[in-house]
Every structure is written in structure tokens, then in C-alpha cells.
Amino acid sequence: MAKTITSKVFVVADNIDTDQIIPAQYLNLIPTIKEEYEKLGSYALAGLPDDVNPIKFVPEGQTKTPYGIIVAGRNFGCGSSREHAPIALGAAGVEAVVAESFARIFFRNSVATGELYPVDTPVRICDEIKTGDEATLDLDANTLTVNGKTYELKPLGDVRPVIDAGGLFNYARQSGMIAKA
Amino acid sequence: MTLTEKILARASGKPWVRPGDNVWVNVDVLMTHDVCGPGTIGVFKREFGQNAKVWDRKKVVIIPDHYIFTADGMCNRNVDILRDFVNEQGIEYFYDIIDDPKGQWKFDTVKGDFTRQFGKHYSGVCHSTLAQRGHNRPGEVLFGTDSHTCQSGAFNQFATGIGNTDAGFIMGTGKLLIKVPETMRFFLEGELPKGVSGKDVILHLIGEIGFDGATYRAMQFEGPGVGSLSMDDRMTITNMAIEAGGKNGIFTCDQKTLDYVNARVAENGTKSTFEPVEPDADQQLFYDKAFDLSKLEPTVACHPDPGQRKLAKELGHIALDRAYIGSCTGGKTSDFLAFAEVVKGKTVKIDTFGVPSTTLVLDELKATKWEGKSVWNILVDAGVRMTENPGCAACLGGPVDTFGRVNKAGIKCISATNRNFPGRMGHKESQVFLASPYTVAASALTGKITDPREFIC
Ligand code: SF4
């Protein structure tokens, strides 16, 4: 499946942990209930300290973000195992996160839920671009193009077909690992 | 093979595995709690059908502990969802907050935070409960919907945190596809000096390799120094493997491990058979370094991440507003005893909150007497605000009415918990400093970060 994503980017630095992605007080929401899923989206990245990130990721009173791609530094998604984190981002409309590295559980949850593509970048992009820039992510060529500059990314490899399928269960059914529902 | 490789090979029915191999492992225990349990159940039902049954009702352990003592109706609802599921599935191990299996949980705000409001089955923090109630066994594979599930590795088992989707998959199949991690060995020598504890060991090691220094990898603790560490110290150490990004943390097994496990499984009537693993002499290690425990000093991880390592004695200039002792990492009986040793007969200078991790810890603190006075009362008399309701409380902030939650910007809190990213204990512009119970206690007495050795004889 050919895939390119063009969107405004939201830029953050290192160690964006799951409390910043979805603050703990909203974990009373259950992601498998539709209205609560939408609500989780409205709180995505609500835990970013305002002094460091003055721009709101999801505008006040809305449930969706104008930023379909997040560009981050090291260790994105560190902290808790809450699947609410990739889900909140996915529910808000994020399609991909491009980071220098990901915390293991966040990466795994992104793939298992199929909510977003977690893409590794070998170079630090987050210091060179700013929130609001237009970017194009090409998942076949493994590149991110922003402000006329193209960055080479690491290929997604084994996990790409799982996310393309919409997550672990769909993939497991498609490939015969578990019985079709 | 390393400890982790041996367990994963056995659990996947293979003679051996190598790092990077993707293997289907059979799961011995799946743990979930009130924050991720309802979502896991939702995934399980969506994918396997409304009438599906869990793969093994004796292998699913459900422990409400996170958002219990709060008036938030949705949090209370989530505990009820767990109870309904347990009834429907006949799940054997459920540490419910109320006694009536048909009842509904509602926090009584009139009774409030300080007075106990739990029934006879309740336990408290999930990881402590797994250990105390006989669910940790050497050589087994345990998954939990909580990142600190790695704590169970103290018992020579493979244990790691997963999300709801993976957990839903396990509920239906009893299996999970995982990648075998590379192993980093921390070879411990010597014995800890007085006033230095397991918390200082792990804060030191995280500072050494960095907050992402073990990402995707197993942290294996072995060497002659292991024998001197109590099981509580070992749990504190493996608990924080995730704070270096580790997939799991794991200790070798010795007599202390066996004594602890055998006593708990007998007391609780849980499965009593298990087979520990030992590392092979020719194990392949990604990293291998020796650490002399006798050289360690009281250590602190400063705001805003667990890798910001400093010695307590270098931080005397940092004035604090609050101190907190509790959680899976720092709310065990031994943690409170260390704390009490420092504050006994003195008075804390800043707001200080204490939350026992489990009901067992609560009972032990009330029953342990020093010179005729219970440790509980020693703490209360020193000015510590002790709640009788064990659980996660403010360790992860939680709903705004959570006991001990940091609700104001700018508050600096020293805490015996395990994580200090921005907003962890509540307000996103507050700061958390992680330290041992000794250091938290000494700092509570002075109002600034303080090396506890001056208070311990
Ligand atoms: S006490 Fe804290 S770290 Fe431990 S399980 Fe609860 S929230 Fe997580």
C-alpha cells in the first residue's frame, strides 16, 4: 500500500512521556468506548508544560488537532504502559510520529493498536524545524520533507504491515495467526 | 544463554533463543488493574466476542489500586467493570475494594482519605500485591498492563509491561509474540553501607546508563553483592528498570528468593511449583559492568527525568515544599521502617504524606512496636500525614481529589516513588525529586534535600 502523509508538523524535544501525552487524570476514560475515545483525543498532549510549549496541540474546545505529524527528539513515549497514549494521539488525528528514538512500550502499543506510524530518524530533525511547518512523510521512500529539505528515515520494517492492517488483531487474522472473526 | 533468554526459550518450547528472535511465549500470569483493565476487557470482547472466555481463569490476576479513593464517578465505575468481568468469567484472583460481589464501589467522602474504607479482599498496589500474595515465581513469564511490571523480575522471572491490545490478545489466547531482548549485566559486588538502599543502587545505575540506556534490553543483576540485598531492595531495583527504558529487570535466584516465594505461595494457596533459571557461563552480554555497592552514596534523581543523577549531599541548596513516601517502589514495610528510623522523635518541617502500598504494609506498621510505640504512631507523631487507604495515590497524580496530589504549580516534592517526568504527581509545572526513604525522611525534617547519613547512627 503506497503511503504518503502531508500535514502541518508539531515539534517537541526529548523525553515526551506518557503523562505529557495524556495526563493521568484522564485515564478514567476507556478507549474502547467510542465517546470516551473521542474525548481522549481532545486531551492529547495536554500535559506539555505551557512555558516550553505555548502552542496548544488540540485547540481549546476541539477534539482534533491540525497537526497530523509529530516530530520529536529522543525517547518519545517513555513512562507508563498506558495504551491511552498512542490512542489519544490517534484519536486527535495524528498519523505518524517521527522521533530519534521511542520508548519500547509506546512503540509496541502504536503498532498493536495501529493508531499511528512510529518512525525513527537517525538525525535530529526537531531542532531544525518548528511547529506549523508543512511536511510530507513518504513511508515507501522513508523520507520526511520539510521546508524543502529531505531527511532520510529508518525503514519501519516488520511493523509496517501490522499498522497498515489496522493493528495486531486485524493483522493476525489476515495472516492466519488467529481465526477470522 | 542469559536469564531472560532461558526463560523465553522455555516458554516458547525451544531449546534456545537469541536476541532479536521473535517468539510466541506461553504466559503464566496476566495482571491488570483499574486503569487499563476496562480497556483490556473492551479489546478482549471486541475481538473474541461478547461470550468469549479468558484462556485460563486462574492465570488472570486483577488488582484495583490506581484510582480507588476518589469521588470521581468514572473511576468508581471502572472498578465495577472489573468486578462484573470477574463474576462473569469466574476469575480466581481479584483483590476487590468491597466485599459484596454484586455491590458497587463508591468512595465515602465523609469518611475521607485518612480512615480505612476497604473490604477484606482488598490489597493495594498491584506489583506489591503480586509479590505478597504469591503470584511471583522464579522461571515464569508474567505480563501486566503497567510499565512497572518489571518489578516482578526480582523473583527471577521474566516480567514486563504491555498495553491493552496485547493484554486483550493474551486474555483470549494465553500467548504473546515478543522479541528476545539483548542483556545488559550489572555485576554487583560488596555490601551497601548504612543509610544507603536499593533505591540508591537503581538511581545510580540509571544515571550511569541514561534514561534510555536500556531501551529494548534486559537488565540482569547478578554477582556476589546480590546475596546481601533483601527481597525488598531487589524489588525496588527491578521496579525501576523501565526508568532506563529496560524491557525487563531480572535477578538471579538464591535462598532468600526461595524462602520468600515458598512462604507466600503456601500462605495464599497459589501455584507452588516453579523452576528457577541460572545464567550460562558462556552467556552473551550486550553490556557488562561491575559495581561496588559499598561505594554508593545517597542518590537523587532531579526534575525532570529519572536520569538526572546527583548525590544528596550536593543538593542542600534545593528547598522543598513537600515530601512523599509510598508506591510500589517506596511504600513497602521496610521503606517505612527506614523512614521512621530517621524521623523518630522529631517533627517534619514540610508537608509530608505517607501511603502504605498494601493493606499488609498497613497492618505491619501498626503491629511493629519500637519501645512500646507502633511505627504507625511514630510516623503520625512526627507529623507525617498517613492514610489508612493503601494504593497508588499521588504517585501518578490521578484525579484532583487524590490524597497527596500536587495541585499547585511550582511545588517541589521529594518522593520515594519511581518517576519524575513533568506533571507526574499532579500539576504539570511542579517538580519531583526521586530518592530513597532515608533521604526523603531526612529532607522532610530539614525542608531541603539532605543526605540522611547525618541522622542515622
Ligand atoms: S504505585 Fe505508582 S508506579 Fe506503582 S503501580 Fe501505582 S502508579 Fe504505578
Side-chain angles (χ1 to χ4, degrees):
Chain A
M1 206 192 309
K3 184 121 192 162
T4 58
I5 300 163
T6 298
S7 170
K8 281 197 176 108
V9 290
F10 193 79
V11 182
V12 289
D14 296 332
N15 279 327
I16 302 303
D17 81 308
T18 51
D19 276 313
Q20 295 177 73
I21 298 172
I22 181 75
Q25 73 255 41
Y26 305 123
L27 299 183
N28 56 2
L29 297 165
I30 303 177
T32 46
I33 298 175
K34 193 165 175 302
E35 308 77 67
E36 298 187 23
Y37 173 87
E38 299 292 334
K39 247 199 162 146
L40 277 167
S42 68
Y43 298 126
L45 287 174
L48 288 174
D50 299 332
D51 47 350
V52 193
N53 295 81
I55 301 176
K56 286 254 174 287
F57 180 68
V58 178
E60 209 74 61
Q62 299 190 19
T63 54
K64 299 286 175 197
T65 178
Y67 310 100
I69 301 172
I70 294 173
V71 174
R74 277 165 67 192
N75 210 24
F76 188 87
C78 56
S80 111
S81 67
R82 66 187 72 145
E83 204 163 276
H84 308 71
I87 288 177
L89 295 177
V94 173
E95 292 191 73
V97 179
V98 177
E100 270 180 277
S101 66
F102 290 91
R104 186 190 68 81
I105 308 179
F106 179 87
F107 187 90
R108 188 170 173 115
N109 286 342
S110 300
V111 176
T113 56
E115 286 284 348
L116 56 91
Y117 292 92
V119 192
D120 280 284
T121 166
V123 294
R124 190 171 175 87
I125 306 175
C126 64
D127 292 339
E128 297 187 8
I129 63 174
K130 59 180 195 315
T131 292
D133 290 348
E134 277 291 327
T136 299
L137 175 66
D138 185 330
L139 288 170
D140 300 307
N142 302 304
T143 56
L144 181 77
T145 306
V146 200
N147 304 334
K149 184 164 170 191
T150 297
Y151 301 88
E152 298 284 333
L153 307 174
K154 293 190 197 153
L156 274 167
D158 300 352
V159 304
R160 165 99 194 258
V162 184
I163 306 169
D164 283 345
L168 174 69
F169 281 95
N170 288 351
Y171 179 71
R173 289 204 171 91
Q174 273 177 17
S175 54
M177 286 192 289
I178 56 173
K180 293 217 157 63
Chain B
M1 286 188 286
T2 66
L3 294 174
T4 299
E5 289 157 17
K6 276 205 171 161
I7 295 173
L8 296 181
R10 188 196 289 163
S12 59
K14 294 188 187 319
W16 50 266
V17 294
R18 264 192 303 243
D21 289 355
N22 284 302
V23 292
W24 285 97
V25 293
N26 289 313
V27 178
D28 295 296
V29 174
L30 173 68
M31 184 281 294
T32 190
H33 50 48
D34 57 296
V35 164
C36 294
T40 297
I41 294 165
V43 169
F44 170 72
K45 297 218 158 187
R46 183 183 73 205
E47 301 294 339
F48 294 100
Q50 288 305 315
N51 301 319
K53 287 281 175 198
V54 300
W55 100 100
D56 189 331
R57 62 181 193 85
K58 292 192 168 176
K59 292 186 175 172
V60 179
V61 179
I62 300 188
I63 311 174
D65 61 348
H66 275 63
Y67 299 167
I68 311 302
F69 305 103
T70 167
D72 182 307
M74 286 173 81
C75 295
N76 297 167
R77 167 202 70 174
N78 288 350
V79 185
D80 296 337
I81 291 176
L82 297 178
R83 184 176 314 106
D84 291 345
F85 186 69
V86 164
N87 290 337
E88 164 197 311
Q89 299 281 331
I91 285 173
E92 181 124 345
Y93 302 109
F94 177 45
Y95 298 92
D96 199 0
I97 180 74
I98 56 171
D99 291 338
D100 178 4
K102 299 220 166 55
Q104 285 189 324
W105 164 239
K106 197 165 182 316
F107 176 65
D108 181 347
T109 49
V110 178
K111 269 196 189 163
D113 285 315
F114 290 100
T115 321
R116 68 175 73 196
Q117 320 198 18
F118 53 83
K120 59 179 187 285
H121 304 295
Y122 185 67
S123 175
V125 176
C126 55
H127 312 300
S128 314
T129 301
L130 287 172
Q132 292 170 354
R133 304 296 183 105
H135 299 292
N136 284 143
R137 280 173 295 266
E140 291 196 350
V141 172
L142 183 151
F143 289 100
T145 58
D146 190 282
S147 63
H148 295 102
T149 301
C150 50
Q151 176 183 301
S152 293
F155 298 93
N156 186 245
Q157 64 181 135
F158 175 82
T160 191
I162 53 173
N164 300 354
T165 302
D166 282 336
F169 192 94
I170 296 175
M171 265 189 181
T173 65
K175 291 186 197 320
L176 194 64
L177 180 64
I178 62 163
K179 191 177 268 185
V180 178
E182 290 163 321
T183 292
M184 299 172 75
R185 176 164 78 165
F186 301 83
F187 194 80
L188 308 179
E189 294 167 328
E191 276 188 38
L192 288 173
K194 189 85 186 125
V196 182
S197 67
K199 183 66 169 285
D200 300 297
V201 177
I202 190 63
L203 290 177
H204 180 80
L205 297 180
I206 296 168
E208 188 72 20
I209 61 174
F211 57 75
D212 57 356
T215 301
Y216 293 104
R217 306 208 171 91
M219 296 175 77
Q220 178 168 311
F221 304 95
E222 52 173 304
V226 168
S228 69
L229 295 171
S230 67
M231 289 316 295
D232 280 5
D233 275 328
R234 297 181 204 182
M235 284 190 252
T236 305
I237 292 171
T238 49
N239 176 281
M240 291 188 67
I242 180 69
E243 306 311 331
K247 182 167 196 153
N248 65 313
I250 188 164
F251 270 89
T252 45
C253 182
D254 61 12
Q255 197 56 44
K256 272 190 193 164
T257 323
L258 296 175
D259 290 347
Y260 188 106
V261 172
N262 286 329
R264 305 300 161 137
V265 297
E267 205 174 296
N268 295 285
T270 49
K271 176 172 165 272
S272 61
T273 51
F274 54 85
E275 211 184 314
V277 287
E278 278 177 31
D280 288 329
D282 63 348
Q283 61 178 331
Q284 300 289 309
L285 301 166
F286 175 84
Y287 164 106
D288 189 13
K289 196 165 169 187
F291 293 87
D292 185 350
L293 298 176
S294 69
K295 298 259 160 59
L296 296 183
E297 297 187 71
T299 303
V300 177
C302 297
H303 170 82
D305 73 71
Q308 303 293 329
R309 179 181 68 185
K310 289 268 171 16
L311 292 177
K313 66 183 184 195
E314 303 167 345
L315 297 171
H317 57 285
I318 298 188
L320 300 161
D321 307 288
R322 177 177 294 209
Y324 185 95
I325 169 163
S327 83
C328 44
T329 325
K332 302 181 285 301
T333 302
S334 57
D335 297 316
F336 280 98
L337 295 182
F339 191 96
E341 214 182 299
V342 175
V343 300
K344 186 176 62 151
K346 305 191 175 69
T347 310
V348 297
K349 210 171 176 179
I350 50 179
D351 285 346
T352 302
F353 296 83
V355 186
S357 81
T358 62
T359 54
L360 195 75
V361 173
L362 172 70
D363 293 344
E364 286 176 349
L365 295 179
K366 296 220 166 178
T368 307
K369 300 251 157 71
W370 288 352
E371 291 154 22
K373 194 170 178 184
S374 74
V375 171
W376 183 270
N377 284 337
I378 289 172
L379 293 166
V380 170
D381 291 350
V384 183
R385 295 154 80 170
M386 296 291 298
T387 172
E388 288 193 351
N389 292 313
C392 296
C395 169
L396 83 164
V400 282
D401 61 348
T402 301
F403 182 76
R405 188 179 191 274
V406 177
N407 285 335
K408 273 210 302 241
I411 295 276
K412 287 195 177 75
C413 175
I414 189 157
S415 177
T417 55
N418 50 30
R419 194 168 271 164
N420 63 341
F421 295 112
R424 171 66 177 182
M425 295 185 73
H427 198 284
K428 61 187 179 181
E429 273 133 27
S430 58
Q431 301 191 0
V432 177
F433 297 79
L434 304 174
S436 75
Y438 285 124
T439 305
V440 174
S443 306
L445 291 178
T446 62
K448 46 195 184 17
I449 298 181
T450 302
D451 187 320
R453 288 173 296 188
E454 49 193 277
F455 290 91
I456 303 167
C457 25

